[in-house]
Structure formats: C-alpha cells, structure tokens
Amino acid sequence: MEKLEALKISSMRPRSNILDRPLSKGKSEVSQSIVALLFSEIVQYSQSRVFTVPELQTRLHDLGQDVGTRIIDLYFMRERSAKRETKLTQMLLFVKTTVWKNLFGKEAEKLEHANDDERTYYIIEKEPLVNTFISVPKDKSSLNCANFTAGIVEAVLTHCGFPCKVTAHWHKGTTYMVKFEDFVIARDKQMEEK
C-alpha cells in the first residue's frame, strides 16, 4: 500500500522538460568522455564517406553549422532575459565567452583583430576539446577536427545577423579565422557614429 502511495506522489510532481532547463545546467549532465566518444563516431562516420582531408574538414564544418543553428536558437529560447547583440565586438565577445562556456565549459583563450584586414578576427584556442581525443594518422596530419567548431561559430554569428565565413587553422594551437561580409563592417561603423 505504501509503495502505491509513493508512486502516486512521485507521478504527481511536475516533470521538467529538457528544453526548459538553462544551458548552463546542461553542461554538468554530460561527461566529457561521452562527448569525446560521440564526436569520435561523427569523425569516423564522416571519414567513411569522403576521400580526402579537405572533404572531411568540409563535412565536419557542415555538421558544425547544423549544431550552431540549433545551439543559438536553444540559448535564446532558454535564456529569455538575454538580448541579441547588435554590435560586432560585443557579439564576438558573446561567442568567445558565453557560447564557448556552454559548449566546452571554458572560454576561448583569445580574441584578436587582424591588423591588415578590418573584416577579419581571430578566436584562439590552445587545446580544442574536439581535437583532444582524436588520433590523426600520419597520412592525414593536416586534419583539424576543429573545423566542426568553426562551423558552429559560423552558424551562430550568421544566424545572429553577422554573416561570415569561419575557418580553422593550426596556429598558436587552433585559430578560428572569422571573415565578415563587407556590409557587417559598414553597419557596425554606422552604429558607432550614432
């Protein structure tokens, strides 16, 4: 009889929907080893469907874009008090801090602006999580699995109104080169003048 009453009480409690929980609480629910295993499977699956390293990197980038689109929508749905940034620098800082913390549990190390091109910014990460647990064969030594993260960043920025192309390069660890469309820079300059 007591078990039946306990079952009734537990079934009466409201259950929280996974979509209603904040992203910051979600990071403690999934272990790093599970993420590493799933990402390893993504890389293996992608590798079996391509013939060259550039094709594999493009495939990872495309998968990252799918993830980035969903991440930014989910973030703004859960964090209703959050505002979308309208200035370029603030948006890049949002990606470097908030997006990185929600995805990887830490901020990216650096955000730099290119000296020779006003459209280009660099996000630098010394040891990307996506490269940590991937063993790259010698014949594919140019493979940088951080192209997956580059796809995420590109989708987040593009869907927030800052269209760009993001590529991952081996430099100071991994450097994500973010190259914005010309009108993004022009719009940002107009906003600064107001």
Side-chain angles (χ1 to χ4, degrees), residues 35-127:
V35 171
L37 174 68
L38 288 173
F39 187 69
S40 173
E41 290 298 318
I42 288 170
V43 172
Q44 288 177 29
Y45 174 82
S46 299
Q47 186 175 3
S48 69
R49 282 157 178 68
V50 298
F51 298 104
T52 65
V53 171
E55 287 175 346
L56 177 56
Q57 291 184 152
T58 300
R59 190 170 187 93
L60 290 172
H61 188 273
D62 293 345
L63 290 169
Q65 285 182 317
D66 291 340
V67 171
T69 301
R70 287 167 179 79
I71 288 288
I72 198 63
D73 288 342
L74 183 60
Y75 175 78
F76 284 112
M77 188 178 83
R78 286 184 180 170
E79 307 295 330
R80 298 190 195 285
S81 62
K83 64 176 185 135
R84 290 199 184 224
E85 297 295 343
T86 56
K87 294 188 177 177
L88 181 59
T89 307
Q90 293 304 314
M91 187 63 205
L92 285 166
L93 288 172
F94 169 78
V95 169
K96 177 191 175 285
T97 57
T98 306
V99 171
W100 235 264
K101 279 182 187 176
N102 284 311
L103 288 173
F104 307 115
K106 63 180 180 115
E107 289 184 16
E109 277 81 17
K110 289 183 184 179
L111 172 65
E112 296 179 357
H113 188 238
N115 294 329
D116 58 344
D117 185 5
E118 65 181 354
R119 300 179 344 162
T120 305
Y121 288 81
Y122 303 105
I123 299 172
I124 299 168
E125 188 177 25
K126 290 182 182 164
E127 294 180 29

Side-chain angles (χ1 to χ4, degrees), residues 32 35-40 43 53 56-57 60-61 100 104 106 109 123-137 140-150 152 167-176:
Q32 193 176 32
V35 171
L37 174 68
L38 288 173
F39 187 69
S40 173
V43 172
V53 171
L56 177 56
Q57 291 184 152
L60 290 172
H61 188 273
W100 235 264
F104 307 115
K106 63 180 180 115
E109 277 81 17
I123 299 172
I124 299 168
E125 188 177 25
K126 290 182 182 164
E127 294 180 29
L129 178 66
V130 294
N131 285 343
T132 305
F133 301 105
I134 301 295
S135 299
V136 179
K140 293 180 173 51
S141 62
S142 64
L143 173 64
N144 190 342
C145 291
N147 276 288
F148 180 76
T149 306
I152 293 173
T167 53
H169 304 275
W170 294 111
H171 179 70
K172 299 180 184 178
T174 294
T175 299
Y176 303 94

Side-chain angles (χ1 to χ4, degrees), residues 11-25:
S11 66
M12 293 172 61
R13 282 188 229 144
R15 294 185 180 172
S16 68
N17 185 343
I18 193 165
L19 295 175
D20 293 333
R21 287 187 243 157
L23 280 176
S24 58
K25 289 184 183 173

